[in-house]
Amino acid sequence: MDITPLVPEGRHVIESYDTDGFRINGERYPGPVIVWPEGVAPWAVSDIAAAAIDTLDAMFAAEPPIEILLIGSGENFELAPPALRRALSERRIAVESMDTGAACRTYNVLMAEDRRVAAALLPAR
């Protein structure tokens, strides 16, 4: 499923996703990932329940800082753990949980609008 929008050069675009991983800027990333306009990193979680603030460290180095985090929980919607939502709120980062397909599409739209967005994504299994 190709979801590539028109975006400024040099930004990380999620081109497709499937049950095994993601294609971002022409490169294949197996397993869970965190993506933001200037970077991509593996996300060391096996399911949404394992998502914790320390699993998002790569994203916190982004400059300017990320303002919105989309969490893609896989094929089905699952809410991010309460402790993670609280920790992100304390850092003044808005968090939205959704299924992975919706998170990929929403990331691309917000990133194309030059918003400071990141997506933490589980494959759509």
Side-chain angles (χ1 to χ4, degrees):
M1 177 177 306
D2 187 354
I3 58 171
T4 309
L6 297 174
V7 296
E9 191 173 327
R11 302 285 176 91
H12 284 88
V13 176
I14 303 168
E15 297 168 340
S16 64
Y17 61 94
D18 58 31
T19 58
D20 296 319
F22 305 86
R23 178 165 300 285
I24 301 168
N25 284 19
E27 188 172 336
R28 180 79 181 147
Y29 292 87
V33 297
I34 305 167
V35 60
W36 60 99
E38 303 83 18
V40 180
W43 188 27
V45 299
S46 55
D47 59 45
I48 200 67
I53 196 73
D54 64 336
T55 66
L56 300 169
D57 285 343
M59 176 191 79
F60 295 126
E63 281 298 328
I66 298 301
E67 297 173 351
I68 303 165
L69 176 63
L70 307 170
I71 298 180
S73 57
E75 185 175 3
N76 299 308
F77 167 79
E78 289 184 54
L79 196 58
L84 176 59
R85 294 192 320 264
R86 277 192 304 275
L88 289 164
S89 177
E90 290 169 2
R91 291 177 182 239
R92 298 193 193 289
I93 298 173
V95 62
E96 294 290 336
S97 297
M98 53 193 74
D99 67 74
T100 291
C104 289
R105 292 184 299 274
T106 304
Y107 166 84
N108 282 344
V109 168
L110 293 175
M111 187 268 308
E113 293 176 350
D114 208 25
R115 303 287 301 273
R116 294 304 302 159
V117 63
L121 306 165
L122 293 171
R125 295 187 178 137

